[in-house]
Amino acid sequence: MNVPKALTIAGSDCGGGAGIQADLKTFQELEVYGMSAITAVTVQNTLGVQGVYPLPPEATAEQIDAVGSDIGVDALKTGMLFSAEIIQAVAERIPAFGWKNVVVDPVMIAKGGSQLLLPDAVQALQHYLLPLAAVVTPNIPEAETLSGIDIRTMEDRHEAAKRICAYGPKMVVIKGGHAENHEQSVDLLFDGTNFTEMAGKRIDTVHTHGTGCTFSAAITAGLAKGLPVIEATMTARAFIQAAIEDSLVLGQGHGPTNHWAYRRRGEISR
Ligand SMILES: Nc1ncnc2c1ncn2[C@@H]1O[C@H](COP(=O)(O)OP(=O)(O)O)[C@@H](O)[C@H]1O
Ligand SMILES: Cc1ncc(COP(=O)(O)OP(=O)(O)O)c(N)n1
């Protein structure tokens, strides 16, 4: 049996809605064997982030080496990387193992406002990690930071996607969760030549904690199964739409999404 295998290099969210917990749940739901290399332990729940404890960069690097040298990795994603030193350690390993199916979710600030990437690490992300990415998935504030432009319109998003693409990723997906569109959430894809829009009905809910992690993990799962990037992204869009629509309503604040909603709808594709 050929088992698709995916690695997440990200922070731990003890509340289970974002970070490695969301990624591993997503891999499992999409029938991909999940592995993790932890970069930081966060203390958080639906009310926000209460603590951030980064690991030494060697600890992340050794976890990557352990799974890469033994089990193997068909696709990987990065999430919360916290510091320039951790980014450098991760970026050295990717070409050393020859990994190409690399999804970079450039996590910077949690929805509650907590810093998950140090400001001086943005340049390391741009120069060391983006050139290795098959897909990079910024939300609108992250796209503004990476591109250096304010995004108010879809035209601004086109320009930001072009500027981010210039760092070297093969595909840029600027997610639309933060856009001021009350009808739809529209994600913009740019492959260096063509733009594609993927729209879904916007759900009026506060339970969107971990949407970005879950979306990028679902893309990673698709790549691990051998899907082309555009197809993996379309499946991920359907996965996150179901996860937001069939919300679990947990906790007193911004609750997690429902990682089993997509499977329950019978939508798993091989
Ligand atoms: N309220 C919503 N209704 C439907 N889809 C949403 C909603 N919020 C976010 N999404 C989708 O969830 C994914 C993550 O988007 P976003 O929230 O922008 O990322 P992040 O969690 O990184 O801030 C995207 O595919 C986006 O379109
Ligand atoms: C450990 C950890 N990693 C990433 C995030 C951010 O997740 P995201 O999907 O962007 O969702 P929000 O936190 O912004 O709701 C996180 N919170 N924790």
Side-chain angles (χ1 to χ4, degrees):
M1 184 182 181
N2 184 22
V3 180
K5 301 175 293 291
L7 169 66
T8 170
I9 305 171
S12 164
D13 167 9
C14 59
I20 56 155
Q21 287 82 356
D23 296 342
L24 292 173
K25 289 175 194 179
T26 304
F27 294 160
Q28 183 76 13
E29 289 295 332
L30 290 168
E31 300 182 350
V32 169
Y33 181 75
M35 298 167 283
S36 61
I38 297 179
T39 56
V41 173
T42 70
V43 180
Q44 59 179 307
N45 55 23
T46 68
L47 299 172
V49 178
Q50 288 113 42
V52 173
Y53 298 90
L55 292 185
E58 315 82 80
T60 302
E62 287 174 29
Q63 293 171 78
I64 298 170
D65 289 344
V67 297
S69 63
D70 176 34
I71 300 167
V73 171
D74 297 311
L76 71 89
K77 68 156 278 189
T78 66
M80 173 188 179
L81 295 174
F82 191 68
S83 69
E85 291 74 22
I86 295 178
I87 291 171
Q88 262 171 318
V90 171
E92 279 168 16
R93 268 136 197 101
I94 292 171
F97 280 104
W99 291 326
K100 302 282 184 227
N101 288 329
V102 176
V103 179
V104 174
D105 182 10
V107 171
M108 294 182 188
I109 295 176
K111 284 200 180 78
S114 299
Q115 197 97 47
L116 302 178
L117 182 76
L118 295 174
D120 68 2
V122 171
Q123 280 202 349
L125 195 61
Q126 287 165 320
H127 296 287
Y128 297 121
L129 211 49
L130 292 193
L132 305 174
V135 190
V136 56
T137 62
N139 62 23
I140 288 177
E142 291 157 355
E144 290 183 322
T145 300
L146 291 174
S147 67
I149 62 171
D150 285 344
I151 300 178
R152 301 202 189 288
T153 64
M154 192 49 95
E155 288 67 41
D156 296 337
R157 255 206 265 180
H158 281 222
E159 182 56 31
K162 286 183 192 164
R163 292 190 188 195
I164 296 168
C165 207
Y167 287 104
K170 297 206 166 36
M171 172 83 85
V172 180
V173 181
I174 304 186
K175 299 169 292 188
H178 298 246
E180 285 173 19
N181 177 336
H182 299 292
E183 304 296 321
Q184 292 186 312
S185 182
V186 183
D187 301 335
L188 178 72
L189 281 62
F190 180 58
D191 66 3
T193 309
N194 297 306
F195 289 99
T196 308
E197 290 184 11
M198 282 185 190
K201 183 178 181 314
R202 182 175 290 277
I203 309 304
D204 186 13
T205 175
V206 296
H207 301 299
T208 55
H209 174 50
T211 47
C213 301
T214 302
F215 177 69
S216 57
I219 297 174
T220 310
L223 297 183
K225 289 165 146 178
L227 294 183
V229 172
I230 198 100
E231 231 178 282
T233 308
M234 283 168 67
T235 302
R237 189 69 193 74
F239 188 95
I240 192 62
Q241 187 74 31
I244 298 170
E245 278 178 12
D246 296 359
S247 165
L248 297 169
V249 193
L250 294 175
Q252 301 158 66
H254 293 273
T257 67
N258 180 347
H259 291 93
W260 61 71
Y262 184 78
R263 169 171 50 86
R264 285 277 186 92
R265 293 178 181 190
E267 297 196 49
I268 299 290
S269 63
R270 286 179 195 276

